[in-house]
Each structure stands twice: as C-alpha cells, then as structure tokens.
Amino acid sequence: MALTVLKVKNAKPGRHVDGRGLCLVVKPSGSRTWVLRMQLNGQRRDYGMGSAYDVPLADARTAAAELRRRVRDGYDPVAERQKARRIIPSFETATRACHETLGDGWKDGHHSRWLSGFERHVFSRIGKKPVDRVDSACVVEVLSPIWLEIPETARRILQRIGVVLDFAHIKGWISGEVSLRSVRKGLPRQTEKAGHFIAMPYADVPELMTRLVAAAPTTGRDALRFTIYNAVRSNETRFAVWSEFDLDKAIWTIPGERMKARETHIVPLSLPVVALLRRRWNERTSDDGLVFSNSGKKPISDMTMTKLLRDDGITGVTVHGFRSAFADWAAETTAFPKEVVEKALAHKLPNRVEAAYRRTDFFEKRRDLMARWAAHLDTAPAEAVEATPMREAA
C-alpha cells in the first residue's frame, strides 16, 4: 500500500514502503528520512532523499522520479558526492608528491635535478592551478617561452609534466588520463635535433676563457671555467664536493653514482684548475660541502653557466657543447689516440668485449692531454679580449 500524508505522520519505527523503491525510514529516536533504493551496476544502493519533516510526500515522490531518471542516464550520486568531498591538490603540490613517491629509485643527480625545471619555468605559471585543470593548453602556455630558447630543457619538462599528470590520475585527483600528444602541435618546430648540443669552435674557446678570467670572479664563472678545463658534464661540476679532490696529487675522483655511466671516473687536474680550486678552498664554508655553491649546501642552477653565455651575447652554444669542442681540438690538433680522448670524456666503450679486456684508464696520457688542453685555452690574444669584454652583470 502506498503511503499517505497521515501514514507518514503516524508511522512507527521501521521501514515503510511507498513504491518503486521509495521508503520512509523511521528511527526509534523519532527521525523520519526518505530513502530511495535502486540497483546500479549490479549493486543495490540506498540514496538519502532528505528528512520527512522538511520534504513532503509529494515532493519526495517527485525527487525520487527525477533521481531514477538521472541514474538511468548514467549519473552516479555516490561517486558525485565522493568527488565533491575529494580535495584536489594544486599542480605544484601534486608535482612534489610525485617527486617524493617516485624519486626513491632514481639516481641521486636525477633526483635532485628533477624539480629544478618546474621551479624555474612551471610553478610560477600553473603551480597554483588545481592539477585536474591542467590540460594541453596550459602546458603549451608554459613551454612557449622556452621551447626554442632552451629546447632540451623544454622537452624534458614536457615529459615530466606527463609523469605528474599520470601520477595524479593514479591517485584519483584526475578522473581520466590526460594526453599531451597535441602539445607539440601548438608549438613551433624545433630545428635542433633532440640530444644534439651546439658547440663553440675550439679555436674560439680561449677567447671566452680569457674573458672569464678577466671579469670579477663569481661562483658561476668559476664553475664554467672548471667545466671547460676538465671537459666534464655540467652536473658533474655542480654537485662536486671537496671530499672528492686531492689537490696535492691534482686528482678529482667522481663516484660512480654521480656519473652517467655509473662508473667511478678519475680526472687529472691541470695547473689552472688546481689554482682555481685552491682559491675556492680558501673561501669555502665547510670542508665537505659543494665546491661551486655560495653556501656549500645548495648547488648552483643548471642554467647558471648557460646564462653567463647568453648575457655575453653567445647564443645557441650549450655548456655541454664544450665537450665536443674538446673532442674536436684533440682530434684535429693532437696525436692522442681516440680511446684516450673517449676516456677523458668518461665515455663507455660501445664494444663490450673490448671494454672487458681494456683495463687501463690511460691516466698518465690523460694528464698530459688535459695539460695540453689547458695550455690551448690560455692562448687567447690580448687584443681580442679587450675588444669584447665579459659583461660584469653576468
């Protein structure tokens, strides 16, 4: 029997059926609540329709009919309520959570570098935006200013944003997977091939080095000179600590976990490098801190050395490209065997059998090679330096 207004008023504790799933639930406390029972995806669920004191019988029937219609159209009241209660973090919060969760399995250098691109180029633009509102258009807006200026960094950031959005989807912060395949269609074509680092001609590097020496010393300038003298990767410089150096023996031992090939690399230091390090040693803040840091704790940005080049009007050339300049110089102006140069660059031999049998690291030959490279770098004519002084603002 369908309920009446009088039955609703006088109903005793229990469940009283009106019809088509609509029930009046009366509790011993006297509370009266409308409940609609329905099947959804094979499961029986009860949906609250409000208090009988506030919702008359006729209104409860109308509301029940409307809810049944919406459920047939795909509406899920429970999921919608859960979604409304769920707190969606900002993109920056989601990124840092992703970094903390996934970073345990990364190399130390990669773990520390991963956030730097976000902090410099992304968070200021979309960091405060809820992560579920970050779409391809937002990513295009973020990457547009740097897509052609620093293409390699821009590509890395695009890939890492995809990782963050996938992580947010797994965490339930984004209802569906976000595809970033259309992002590149909204950006100009990069003419530089992926992975290619533009190098300065080796004949021009001495002039740059002399200008760096002539300008007021800064941590960035010292780091750039050190990187070029040793033909190392910028991150090997940025994360170098004093405990890795033996200045009396002129040796720098880079542990395997900091190297791309995951093998310990011993670098023979030329005289200008030792002099540079002794000066910085006298200005150090700790005996085991970072060598190229104002505090000894926080490394310089991976863009610091690049900015020195850009501020001096040197466009296109990358810091990594100085390794290519070193290789070109060695090949064209010296008689050192290729394997000695490759070892100086900490390249792994592509032939595994050859690598297994070749135990030497050519250390003494590399010491001579790096001394010759340093001598080349210190040969710029004075008139060229005076004509193009290094900007003091760098």
Side-chain angles (χ1 to χ4, degrees), residues 85-383:
R85 288 195 298 266
R86 188 171 64 239
I87 299 176
I88 305 298
S90 68
F91 180 79
E92 179 174 351
T93 299
T95 300
R96 295 188 183 280
C98 175
H99 176 255
E100 182 176 350
T101 302
L102 304 183
D104 289 342
W106 297 341
K107 298 178 184 178
D108 291 343
H110 181 65
H111 185 275
S112 59
R113 296 194 302 270
W114 201 82
L115 280 175
S116 61
F118 286 99
E119 292 171 338
R120 287 194 309 277
H121 306 295
V122 181
F123 290 157
S124 62
R125 291 178 174 269
I126 61 171
K128 295 180 180 180
K129 185 184 289 290
V131 69
D132 63 342
R133 294 181 58 190
V134 174
D135 55 16
S136 296
C138 295
V139 179
V140 169
E141 178 185 351
V142 167
L143 296 180
S144 291
I146 62 173
W147 188 248
L148 297 180
E149 176 66 22
I150 43 176
E152 183 67 20
T153 298
R155 288 191 292 267
R156 287 198 192 104
I157 290 175
L158 173 58
Q159 185 270 335
R160 291 170 186 175
I161 290 176
V163 171
V164 172
L165 296 181
D166 287 344
F167 176 80
H169 171 57
I170 296 299
K171 296 292 288 185
W173 299 329
I174 300 177
S175 58
E177 294 188 44
V178 179
S179 173
L180 299 180
R181 286 178 296 180
S182 62
V183 168
R184 290 175 181 266
K185 296 180 180 179
L187 295 165
R189 182 179 178 181
Q190 293 177 333
T191 55
E192 175 191 350
K193 293 183 179 179
H196 176 68
F197 298 96
I198 301 176
M200 176 180 287
Y202 66 83
D204 295 341
V205 183
E207 180 183 324
L208 169 65
M209 292 292 280
T210 308
R211 283 154 49 199
L212 286 169
V213 173
T218 65
T219 299
R221 290 195 182 103
D222 284 349
L224 182 56
R225 288 179 59 211
F226 179 89
T227 300
I228 297 173
Y229 271 124
N230 293 305
V232 293
R233 300 175 180 89
S234 61
N235 285 322
E236 292 158 9
T237 294
R238 292 174 57 233
F239 294 96
V241 294
W242 285 114
S243 57
E244 296 173 357
F245 293 89
D246 185 334
L247 296 185
D248 292 331
K249 295 181 179 179
I251 289 175
W252 175 24
T253 303
I254 311 176
E257 57 266 24
R258 290 215 303 110
M259 295 298 298
K260 184 176 181 179
R262 306 300 285 172
E263 294 179 356
T264 299
H265 182 51
I266 302 177
V267 180
L269 304 175
S270 60
L271 291 177
V273 174
V274 173
L276 184 155
L277 290 172
R278 288 195 184 281
R279 173 173 57 77
R280 292 200 65 82
W281 171 257
N282 293 331
E283 301 169 356
R284 72 192 185 282
T285 57
S286 68
D287 290 355
D288 56 0
L290 292 166
V291 176
F292 298 100
S293 168
N294 294 325
S295 64
K297 298 179 180 178
K298 185 177 180 180
I300 59 174
S301 163
D302 61 359
M303 284 298 295
T304 297
M305 289 181 272
T306 300
K307 187 175 184 298
L308 280 167
L309 300 175
R310 300 295 178 266
D311 287 349
D312 199 47
I314 303 173
T315 60
V317 171
T318 64
V319 175
H320 195 92
F322 288 108
R323 286 166 54 85
S324 296
F326 165 77
D328 291 343
W329 165 84
E332 295 186 17
T333 68
T334 78
F336 286 95
K338 181 180 179 181
E339 53 266 29
V340 175
V341 179
E342 292 295 300
K343 194 64 179 179
L345 292 168
H347 286 164
K348 294 189 72 173
L349 288 172
N351 187 312
R352 293 187 178 182
V353 176
E354 183 182 0
Y357 282 95
R358 181 175 288 164
R359 302 298 183 182
T360 180
D361 65 356
F362 305 108
F363 182 78
E364 292 305 325
K365 291 184 177 180
R366 288 192 291 117
R367 183 178 287 285
D368 187 21
L369 174 64
M370 302 316 293
R372 295 268 300 276
W373 172 239
H376 166 71
L377 295 176
D378 294 340
T379 59
E383 58 272 18

